[in-house]
Amino acid sequence: MTDRIRVDLPEDVLSVGVDMGSRSTKVCVKSQNGQTLSMFDSYRFISHPGNLDIGKGLPVVSTGYGRDRIQHARKVPEIRAHTVGAVYTLGLGDFTLLDIGGQDFKVTRVENGAIRDFHMNDKCAAGTGRFLEMMASVLDMSVDELGRFEGSGVPLESTCSVFTESEVVGMMMEGKGKEEICGGIIQSVYERVRPYLRRYPLDLVIFTGGVSKAEGLRFTIQRELDVEVKVPKSSQFMGALGCAEIAKRTLE
Amino acid sequence: MERTGRTRRVGITTTVPLEPFFSAGATPIDLNNRFMASEDPVRMIEESQVKGYPRNICTWIRGLYTAALDMDGVVGVVRGDCSNTESLLSTLSIVGIPVHPFSYPPERSRDDIEREISSLCEFLRTDPESAEGMADTVNGCRSLALEVDELRWKEMRVKAEEAHSVLLSTSDLKGDPEAWKAMVDGIIDASRNREGEKEGPRLGYVGVPPIMTDLFPTVERAGGNVVYFEVQRQFAMPEGGDWMDRYLEYTYPYSIENRLRDIREQIQKRSLDGLVHYVQSFCHRQIDDIIFREGLDIPILTLEGNLPGKVDSRTRIRLEAFLDVLGGEAL
């Protein structure tokens, strides 16, 4: 996340993609010389008025919860943006895309380069980035540190993020070690997404979104489901990359 | 019941035989519609919680409870709709409201439905013979609602929201068949001068009516055309037979196989591209999603709703993604 709140466009800009999520806003700017990626806190991003008419007169495509806030942009559904981003970045035709963001997760099945089906989590933040943030804060550690743990032992049993917080505090009171608590937290996230992944062939999982930074979770999915899990470079930017790509195509 | 004639207002929890109400001179009031049309539905839910209703019981039941508190009686469907209705009736009974449990018979037999209707007549203080005298009136209204349904899917001259509302309101005919008929005649007249709509995927809506107040206009704005309203259309009893048989042909309260057959037929007839399956949080019918996905060869989007209000952004994202996938544009 950058402290800057303004998106700078180079002179040779071709297209802009904006993925305004619930927690962070990802921007991809394509130019003659390649592409630049940047990430902002969504709240700060919106409060800078210049950002909302970013790239006026250019091909701009937006997606995410805040997609309507970006003026002059063509709005595309998230599933399309993320899938185009993944297909374009990786050049693959058959895979399951697991995107875990700030407050929801999406599982999209891609076959022969086309979307075959998708599912999103039910109305609950458990198993999302917000859940990991809350748990990390209770344990007084960074999300990165928490994300390094692999899922193990008994998952936390509460079905609600808020109650899980009390459960974690209870475990600390009982003198349980960091290893055990963190293992349980990652295990709960894994068990939350597992039934969604198991609906589709377990050939290849492409893991994206903010939570894909949690290496321990990636290992857990790989180990438990015996499936290859790839986290692409710039895995948090799939939506923005997809948008910029869709925008660029309008020039062709 | 103290009041008599048309002043006697009897709440219903879903579609029930209407003929006995009108022959008894009672006004049927669909509590679902009363709850949703109230000034502050969320407040009605809260009132039930004040009385002790659990927060994680379906919102419809909680809203229905408050909506029923000033009724002169309540007929609740305890078999074929929702088992929570049994407890709903019990909690209404202890505050002094006369209640009557109605069951769509699991065996789907003529004898059983006759027995249920007789017992309903007794509660309303009429008899099946007098009730039959109202069959033409009720049937006439339902046929008119089915005409609106046709104007929707065949000619696209009425809006999805209009067709949905008209079909839905056949559950109680707003308590007054004549006034209801005049309202629907108005909708049909207004549609005559309209152009038929329009491009975009043709969708079917299956499942209980939505708790979101603007679902159909939202789908329309997103580029989809809802041209089939499964349960709402069933409220208008599209199949033939005498007046009692209609309550056996009605698919919703019986085996899901009957619903599947009806949906399959309509998918073909109305050239549907996809289905939206609406489910209510905490409702047993969420499980039926498995059956629909197994038994119907068409893309399905499942939407879940909990509290009344406008379509939230999460639902909108799902809807737009679904329409996008149906649109089939290459990646």
Side-chain angles (χ1 to χ4, degrees):
Chain A
M1 199 94 58
T2 155
D3 283 336
R4 288 184 304 112
I5 55 166
R6 230 187 87 88
V7 181
D8 296 314
L9 300 178
E11 296 244 320
D12 59 348
V13 54
L14 291 174
S15 72
V16 182
V18 183
D19 174 10
M20 195 185 282
S22 59
R23 314 276 301 158
S24 62
T25 297
K26 283 74 65 177
V27 180
C28 172
V29 177
K30 275 185 187 285
S31 61
Q32 305 281 10
N33 293 318
Q35 61 194 22
T36 51
L37 304 172
S38 40
M39 179 155 45
F40 308 85
D41 174 86
S42 285
Y43 184 72
R44 284 169 56 98
F45 186 85
I46 295 180
S47 49
H48 193 280
N51 288 338
L52 301 178
D53 67 351
I54 178 176
K56 189 176 177 185
L58 287 170
V60 181
V61 169
S62 65
T63 194
Y65 280 94
R67 63 196 177 287
D68 292 334
R69 298 299 305 275
I70 308 295
Q71 297 156 25
H72 322 293
R74 178 183 155 202
K75 281 83 184 165
V76 300
E78 280 195 65
I79 303 287
R80 167 169 293 269
H82 282 81
T83 313
V84 168
V87 169
Y88 158 77
T89 311
L90 303 164
L92 293 167
D94 296 86
F95 57 91
T96 300
L97 182 65
L98 167 65
D99 181 273
I100 310 186
Q103 67 173 28
D104 60 23
F105 60 79
K106 310 179 248 301
V107 178
T108 309
R109 180 65 192 167
V110 179
E111 282 174 11
N112 300 319
I115 299 166
R116 192 174 73 78
D117 196 12
F118 69 90
H119 278 277
M120 289 171 81
N121 58 325
D122 43 29
K123 253 184 193 167
C124 171
T128 67
R130 183 73 192 122
F131 173 74
L132 287 181
E133 275 179 9
M134 280 175 69
M135 295 307 118
S137 123
V138 176
L139 292 162
D140 195 24
M141 56 167 68
S142 69
V143 180
D144 286 349
E145 197 184 338
L146 172 60
R148 281 197 281 272
F149 286 88
E150 279 191 47
S152 61
V154 187
L156 299 162
E157 62 184 24
S158 294
T159 50
C160 162
S161 308
V162 178
F163 287 141
T164 311
E165 188 172 333
S166 336
E167 206 179 329
V168 167
V169 173
M171 287 169 89
M172 289 160 78
M173 299 297 178
E174 285 168 23
K176 297 238 161 91
K178 204 190 220 181
E179 190 91 12
E180 190 179 346
I181 301 176
C182 295
I185 292 170
I186 299 297
Q187 187 69 19
S188 332
V189 176
Y190 160 65
E191 292 191 7
R192 191 83 190 173
V193 298
R194 181 175 57 196
Y196 291 86
L197 291 173
R198 287 184 54 211
R199 288 173 188 226
Y200 306 118
L202 289 166
D203 44 9
L204 172 63
V205 171
I206 304 297
F207 186 13
T208 63
V211 176
S212 65
K213 295 284 173 209
E215 276 234 303
L217 179 58
R218 171 163 83 94
F219 289 135
T220 310
I221 300 171
Q222 199 153 272
R223 183 190 73 206
E224 297 289 317
L225 290 178
D226 192 22
V227 59
E228 186 185 357
V229 181
K230 272 192 189 160
V231 176
K233 198 172 148 238
S234 316
S235 63
Q236 285 171 274
F237 288 90
M238 284 304 129
L241 280 160
C243 286
E245 176 62 19
I246 295 167
K248 200 191 94 186
R249 285 178 196 165
T250 58
L251 293 171
E252 288 156 8
Chain B
M1 278 175 269
E2 286 170 13
R3 291 191 228 179
T4 54
R6 273 286 171 87
T7 54
R8 194 164 42 130
R9 303 186 314 153
V10 181
I12 58 175
T13 60
T14 181
T15 293
V16 290
L18 283 180
E19 294 83 349
F21 288 77
F22 296 126
S23 78
T27 304
I29 294 177
D30 187 326
L31 297 171
N32 298 280
N33 302 343
R34 185 157 196 259
F35 159 49
M36 287 298 281
S38 78
E39 222 162 79
D40 191 353
V42 176
R43 183 67 195 228
M44 293 183 103
I45 298 163
E46 187 180 319
E47 290 308 314
S48 75
Q49 279 177 246
V50 172
K51 289 280 164 43
Y53 264 76
R55 203 187 54 83
N56 55 358
I57 285 284
C58 154
T59 304
W60 287 114
I61 287 289
R62 290 187 285 154
L64 258 56
Y65 173 78
T66 312
L69 287 174
D70 61 350
M71 291 287 118
D72 299 311
V74 171
V75 174
V77 174
V78 295
R79 224 291 324 162
D81 182 37
C82 167
S83 306
N84 287 333
T85 306
E86 287 191 46
S87 302
L88 170 68
L89 294 184
S90 307
T91 51
L92 290 171
S93 180
I94 60 168
V95 295
I97 298 171
V99 298
H100 177 79
F102 183 88
S103 299
Y104 284 99
E107 300 299 328
R108 217 183 183 189
S109 78
R110 174 77 187 198
D111 283 352
D112 289 344
I113 196 83
E114 278 184 17
R115 203 170 306 121
E116 281 296 327
I117 292 177
S118 294
S119 154
L120 172 64
C121 286
E122 207 172 301
F123 173 74
L124 294 167
R125 297 199 301 259
T126 182
D127 53 71
E129 292 69 35
S130 317
E132 190 172 6
M134 293 309 295
D136 285 348
T137 305
V138 171
N139 205 18
C141 290
R142 287 176 180 155
S143 306
L144 205 57
L146 293 168
E147 202 177 303
V148 172
D149 179 44
E150 291 214 343
L151 282 171
R152 174 65 194 162
W153 73 268
K154 283 188 175 163
E155 301 176 34
M156 304 291 280
R157 283 198 287 121
V158 300
K159 295 200 170 296
E161 176 66 26
E162 289 173 323
H164 153 75
S165 305
V166 168
L167 290 166
L168 186 72
S169 65
T170 54
S171 64
D172 64 358
L173 299 173
K174 300 199 178 210
D176 184 345
E178 288 310 311
W180 183 91
K181 205 168 158 291
M183 175 204 71
V184 176
D185 278 335
I187 291 175
I188 294 174
D189 281 345
S191 77
R192 289 190 210 287
N193 303 323
R194 282 195 211 144
E195 290 283 308
E197 302 164 48
K198 86 182 186 186
E199 302 286 300
R202 290 168 69 84
L203 301 178
Y205 176 94
V206 302
V208 297
I211 202 152
M212 299 95 147
T213 49
D214 61 343
L215 181 64
F216 297 107
T218 303
V219 175
E220 203 169 345
R221 275 196 301 276
N225 300 305
V226 181
V227 293
Y228 173 49
F229 310 85
E230 187 234 346
V231 172
Q232 297 93 319
R233 173 174 168 271
Q234 283 295 324
F235 284 178
M237 314 276 153
E239 305 301 329
D242 76 359
W243 75 280
M244 284 201 192
D245 273 343
R246 283 173 191 267
Y247 297 102
L248 290 175
E249 293 298 323
Y250 177 34
T251 59
Y252 172 74
Y254 303 105
S255 149
I256 194 159
E257 280 305 316
N258 303 312
R259 289 181 64 190
L260 278 175
R261 208 171 303 128
D262 176 45
I263 296 167
R264 273 192 210 111
E265 257 176 46
Q266 299 304 320
I267 289 173
Q268 292 302 324
K269 204 166 163 186
R270 301 179 188 221
S271 314
L272 303 184
D273 301 306
L275 294 181
V276 172
H277 179 208
Y278 174 79
V279 295
Q280 185 67 32
S281 297
F282 313 114
C283 174
H284 69 100
R285 290 185 188 273
Q286 285 196 317
I287 304 168
D288 294 344
D289 198 57
I290 303 170
I291 318 284
F292 290 145
R293 285 176 184 273
E294 278 291 312
L296 300 169
D297 189 20
I298 189 168
I300 299 177
L301 173 74
T302 307
L303 293 181
E304 180 180 344
N306 182 21
L307 294 174
K310 291 191 182 301
V311 172
D312 63 333
S313 58
R314 297 167 47 85
T315 302
R316 215 150 56 85
I317 280 181
R318 285 169 164 76
L319 202 53
E320 288 171 8
F322 184 62
L323 289 169
D324 184 44
V325 173
L326 287 183
E329 194 190 326
L331 286 176

